[in-house]
Amino acid sequence: TTARTARLRVWRGDSGAGELVDYEVEAHEGEVLLDVLHRLQATQCPDLAVRWNCKAGKCGSCSMEINGRPRLSCMTRMSTLPLDEAITVTPMRTFPVVRDLVCDVSYNYEKARQIPSFTPEAGTEPGDFRMMQQDVARSQEFRKCIECFLCQDVCHVIRDHEENKEAFAGPRFLMRVSELQLHPEDTADRRAISQDEFGLGYCNITKCCTEVCPEHIKITDNALIPLKERVADRRYDPLVWLGSKIGLR
Ligand code: SF4
């Protein structure tokens, strides 16, 4: 195989301080960036911190920013990166750095825990209800999520605004709220908490999350906009509001 020398500019540091450090590393034909980072570890800096697991785009571990774009390093072919300039590799910017390319993503797990779980009618047993195929398909699309958190990383609401993290769950978790709200057998009304606890109103549907999703989930069109429509129904339609008060829906 043909090899070339890749120039990498890798962020090295920890929660206190860090800097971009230049390296020259061999890159072989057909390799992805994660291969080259592993070679860097093996040949020059054994202490380079990189999180990874499956190397097949399914575990969601090797999220980082490559030339400023949130991406999975195992799915980024070297052949798609410009050869004539240094490739900048930095940790996800939205989350606190632990070391080098590894972030502390526990914010995401905290948000996940706050979402009230699936709530079917009391007494419903498995197999009791039938769902339309389109409802099944919707959940299936959302469940392709590998929790790489690239959508959370790119989202401008929290990317440079630490202060918004408390009030905003991010696209991945608003998608989970939407999945449950749109589920025909879920009895909980999640419209108020979408807005009040998970910050749906912060989202101005710029679709940055959809663009970076490695699973090509249409987060904005299929999860966030339908959730916004239902929240708007409840807020601004007086009949819907009255109906909800007297128990019609
Ligand atoms: Fe990653 Fe897509 Fe899931 Fe967001 S929705 S965490 S980008 S797989």
Side-chain angles (χ1 to χ4, degrees), residues 11-145:
W11 195 90
R12 304 293 314 271
D14 56 26
S15 58
E19 58 178 349
L20 291 168
V21 182
D22 287 322
Y23 300 99
E24 293 198 344
V25 197
E26 228 176 69
H28 297 182
E29 198 178 330
E31 284 186 333
V32 293
L33 179 67
L34 184 60
D35 292 316
V36 179
L37 289 173
H38 282 159
R39 186 168 297 113
L40 175 61
Q41 251 183 348
T43 57
Q44 299 177 49
C45 26
D47 62 337
L48 174 70
V50 190
R51 184 183 282 143
W52 71 286
N53 197 336
C54 76
K55 209 174 161 280
K58 287 295 163 214
C59 74
S61 305
C62 66
S63 303
M64 56 187 71
E65 300 195 5
I66 304 167
N67 286 341
R69 272 188 67 82
R71 304 182 68 164
L72 296 179
S73 62
C74 77
M75 299 302 282
T76 303
R77 288 193 173 276
M78 292 302 288
S79 59
T80 63
L81 298 170
L83 304 180
D84 48 345
E85 52 197 68
I87 300 160
T88 306
V89 188
T90 46
M92 287 192 284
R93 173 157 150 174
T94 296
F95 311 112
V97 170
V98 177
R99 196 157 67 83
D100 302 338
L101 301 174
V102 174
C103 297
D104 174 0
V105 293
S106 50
Y107 159 78
N108 298 290
Y109 302 117
E110 281 156 26
K111 293 296 167 186
R113 268 195 298 274
Q114 289 164 12
I115 299 171
S117 56
F118 177 57
T119 314
E121 200 94 53
T124 306
E125 296 295 332
D128 274 359
F129 57 78
R130 296 285 178 270
M131 279 167 70
M132 301 283 283
Q133 183 54 40
Q134 71 189 61
D135 291 323
V136 175
R138 188 190 304 113
S139 280
Q140 278 175 339
E141 181 191 11
F142 299 154
R143 279 160 182 262
K144 287 192 301 181
C145 175

Side-chain angles (χ1 to χ4, degrees), residues 145-151 172 175 212-215 217 219:
C145 175
I146 57 171
E147 302 218 310
C148 63
F149 306 130
L150 292 175
C151 58
R172 194 273 168 265
M175 177 172 86
V212 299
C213 177
E215 286 293 319
I217 303 171
I219 307 168

